Amino acid sequence: MPTFAPVSLLVVDDHNLFRRGLVALLGQDPGLQVVGEAGDAAQALRLAPALRPDVILLDNHLPGVTGVDAIRGLREASPASRVLMLTVSEDAQDLATALRNGAQGYLLKTIDGDLLAQAIRRAAAGEPVVSPELMGKLVAAFQSQGAPEADDALASALPGKAQAPAPAEPSTPLSPREEDVLREIARGASNKEIARALDIAETTVKIHVQHILRKLGLSSRVQAAVYASDRQR
């Protein structure tokens, strides 16, 4: 059977206790390997060229240079590395700036450990990842007439992923329940929140999301959210 190298990680966070806990958590996954740690952006910039990690897991609130402002330098220092934000900040400006500067994704520190591992793998594979709680803000930034830089952010950081296809009827119509789920996705709801709102199982929500993406010919939840919002305008 073929063997696959684990996704290598550089973890950048100035809170030593959180960073060590995160490293320990990620170390339990055989598909992930932490190859370095840094407590600030300057240290990360020194380590990145030598370590060349697949993913740089980057906090925003760092001493000196903030995480979102360090993204471009890190990408220049290690061009093959994907930068994935992991932060407590839900600020729409931080989100837009991170994407504009080239982050592969933006996650909140409240994310479940298993979901974080999945998101890291997706980011390493070049797929954009954004916490479901921020989906509404992402769509708002995409559509906002008052924030023209948002389009550039999405175009540069999420190439071909966040662009909403021209609204068209799917070849196979969505079921009424799938329409309900799609509206919740556009609102920025997570699978758990959708399950609670529609009084269905979370596993059922996941199946509906898969069917929606297939029927609409979309490849990501972000696309679905933008598509649904465009259709409602």
Side-chain angles (χ1 to χ4, degrees):
M1 295 180 62
T3 57
F4 299 94
V7 175
S8 58
L9 294 162
L10 171 59
V11 177
V12 186
D13 196 294
D14 68 321
H15 289 89
N16 186 60
L17 186 61
F18 176 83
R19 189 177 70 248
R20 295 306 302 157
L22 181 60
V23 169
L25 174 66
L26 298 174
Q28 296 175 12
D29 191 319
L32 305 175
Q33 181 183 16
V34 177
V35 295
E37 301 176 42
D40 55 41
Q43 186 179 12
L45 285 167
R46 291 193 298 270
L47 291 175
L51 298 175
R52 292 183 294 177
D54 297 316
V55 175
I56 299 173
L57 205 56
L58 181 65
D59 185 25
N60 186 36
H61 298 296
L62 299 172
V65 179
T66 63
V68 294
D69 290 333
I71 293 170
R72 286 179 175 169
L74 289 169
R75 295 188 70 215
E76 291 175 1
S78 183
S81 300
R82 312 281 187 180
V83 178
L84 180 57
M85 299 297 299
L86 180 63
T87 177
V88 298
S89 175
E90 299 184 36
D91 182 77
Q93 185 59 47
D94 286 341
L95 171 62
T97 301
L99 299 182
R100 183 177 66 245
N101 288 352
Q104 189 65 31
Y106 195 101
L107 303 175
L108 297 178
K109 285 185 174 180
T110 53
I111 189 171
D112 177 80
D114 290 338
L115 294 179
L116 175 59
Q118 294 174 24
I120 290 171
R121 290 186 175 87
R122 289 165 55 197
E127 183 179 344
V129 288
V130 176
S131 283
E133 301 93 324
L134 299 175
M135 196 69 70
K137 292 182 179 180
L138 179 61
V139 174
F142 182 86
Q143 295 178 333
S144 173
Q145 298 301 312
E149 76 277 5
D151 286 347
D152 294 336
L154 295 171
S156 62
L158 310 181
K161 298 290 187 180
Q163 307 298 329
E169 290 301 317
S171 56
T172 303
L174 300 183
S175 70
R177 180 57 84 190
E178 288 166 352
E179 291 282 2
D180 292 339
V181 172
L182 183 59
R183 280 192 292 272
E184 292 296 318
I185 290 175
R187 189 174 62 83
S190 66
N191 285 351
K192 182 178 295 185
E193 291 169 334
I194 294 173
R196 188 183 306 116
L198 301 181
D199 195 23
I200 56 179
E202 190 172 350
T203 53
T204 303
V205 175
K206 293 179 181 178
I207 293 172
H208 283 317
V209 172
Q210 292 172 0
H211 289 172
I212 290 168
L213 295 180
R214 176 176 55 79
K215 288 182 178 181
L216 296 179
L218 304 176
S219 60
S220 75
R221 195 184 186 99
V222 175
Q223 280 188 341
V226 176
Y227 172 93
S229 295
D230 278 349
R231 196 175 64 170
Q232 292 171 8
R233 286 193 290 178

